[in-house]
Structures are given as structure tokens and as C-alpha cells.
Amino acid sequence: TDFSQRKYALEGYLAPDTYRIFLSATPESIINTLLTQGNAVVDSVFYGDTQYYQDSEGTYHEVETYDSDLTMDQTIILASMIEKEAASAEDFARVSAVFHNRLKMGWKLESDPTATYLSGVNKLALSNDEISAVNAYNTYAVSGLPAGPICNPSQAAMTAARNPDLTYIQEGYLYFCATEPTSSVLAFAKTKEEHEANVAKYRPLWEA
């Protein structure tokens, strides 16, 4: 993995959680604590026990997993994008499916949070300059994943990155966008026409 283009070497690997930190703690000890927890989360997501679900008759079935060809680091990068794009575990898996589908098709991911990662701007409606900025993180400009994670993703986002919504995979969802600014709900679409209709509907609300 090439870390030379990454803004922060440890971005994506410091587990978000609640920690007890003593006043005497050194910066190095705090980082080690976060990295230790990060390793525990990674172990759970990538090497944990097989997951099962129970049907209406009480029978347990093994959860069907997605055959991803992403490396662990790439999966963490994807998880960081999912974390920034969605707000619920259900939408985490749906956003993951959209990104996996676009990666399979060789499409650019066109994720707004990657376009503003280096600037730190956080808003719903991006300008043309922000979208067209050429850097290693902006997935409007680069193909595939950004140069590195754009946040420290939760365990739920990592799980979704490994296990996208299989229905959304199979049905070929390729787009999503925000809805009302006060809502965390996302609008998903299979075609560019459907997506453009969603954007036309909600963009005035983002800009307002």
C-alpha cells in the first residue's frame, strides 16, 4: 500500500469508541490505545465468527456474504466513505452495494465527501470547482477508491463494506443522493435518469 499520498497515515485505523484516558497519558499511549481497539475491531470484522440469522420458523441460516476482491486496506477506505455517506446500518449496506457495483463496472465512485476531504468543507451542495478539484482523494477526478480513508469508520461501516446489501447488488443500484437536509434518509436509483430526477427534486433544498 502506498501511503505517500495520504493526508494522515493512521486515518481509518483509530477506532471510534469511548475511552478512559488518564491525565498522565502521553500522546503515544493514547494512540496505542486507539490502535489496539482498532485491531480488535478489524479482527472481529475480518476474522470473526460466521454470522447467522433466524427465520420466522426459528431455523438458523448462515448469512450470505459478498465475494469482494478488495484488500483489507481497501475495505477500510470503502468503509470510511460509507460512514460519511450514510447514517443507518441499513443504508450503510445499500451505499456499500452502490459503490461495489460501480467498482465492478469500472465507474468513478463520485462521492461528495471524498471531494471535500482535503478542504474539510462539509455541505450538501458542492460547487463545480469542488467537484472538479484534481487530487488523490476526489473520486470525481480519480478512478476507483481514494488514496486513503476519509475518516475513522465504525465497526458497522466496516461490516457493510464487506457485506453490501445483496438485493441492491443483484438489482444493479448505481446511484444515491441525500433527501431533505433534516433527514438522514437517502434516495437510491438504478438509472441515471432516476438519479437526476432525485437530484432535481432535492437539490433546491440542499442549496437553501
Side-chain angles (χ1 to χ4, degrees):
T1 301
D2 179 14
F3 285 84
S4 64
Q5 297 188 84
R6 297 196 178 182
K7 183 176 181 181
Y8 302 113
L10 294 181
E11 184 87 272
Y13 290 87
L14 304 175
D17 208 328
T18 301
Y19 296 91
R20 175 181 291 180
I21 303 294
F22 294 102
L23 292 176
S24 59
T26 64
E28 290 80 7
S29 70
I30 294 172
I31 289 174
N32 284 334
T33 298
L34 270 64
L35 285 173
T36 298
Q37 178 61 16
N39 287 336
V41 170
V42 167
D43 285 346
S44 175
V45 171
F46 289 88
Y47 309 112
D49 295 334
T50 302
Q51 300 295 308
Y52 295 88
Y53 71 93
Q54 190 175 19
D55 65 21
S56 58
E57 297 179 353
T59 303
Y60 284 91
H61 304 270
E62 184 176 333
V63 173
E64 186 179 358
T65 57
Y66 179 70
D67 185 19
S68 171
D69 56 4
L70 298 182
T71 66
M72 181 186 294
D73 184 62
Q74 289 171 330
T75 302
I76 291 172
I77 294 173
L78 182 60
S80 74
M81 296 170 62
I82 294 168
E83 185 77 46
K84 284 293 189 179
E85 292 280 16
S88 68
E90 187 175 47
D91 274 352
F92 279 171
R94 292 171 175 172
V95 167
S96 178
V98 169
F99 284 147
H100 276 288
N101 283 341
R102 293 179 75 97
L103 285 170
K104 285 276 187 183
M105 295 182 70
W107 289 17
K108 289 180 179 177
L109 297 181
E110 299 184 346
S111 169
D112 286 7
T114 66
T116 57
Y117 172 68
L118 293 180
S119 68
V121 172
N122 183 21
K123 60 182 182 180
L124 286 173
L126 302 189
S127 68
N128 289 332
D129 286 345
E130 288 166 331
I131 288 174
S132 61
V134 178
N135 62 68
Y137 281 92
N138 184 4
T139 55
Y140 283 94
V142 299
S143 298
L145 295 164
I150 60 172
C151 72
N152 291 299
S154 63
Q155 183 167 344
M158 286 193 196
T159 299
R162 289 205 73 202
N163 299 287
D165 186 301
L166 294 180
T167 298
Y168 274 51
I169 289 283
Q170 293 157 3
E171 293 187 1
Y173 279 88
L174 293 167
Y175 304 89
F176 65 88
C177 69
T179 55
E180 295 88 352
T182 57
S183 170
S184 60
V185 174
L186 299 174
F188 292 85
K190 300 176 185 178
T191 69
K192 186 176 182 180
E193 291 74 20
E194 291 172 337
H195 176 64
E196 288 178 344
N198 287 335
V199 171
K201 177 180 179 180
Y202 294 111
R203 189 173 184 86
L205 302 178
W206 308 338
E207 293 175 340

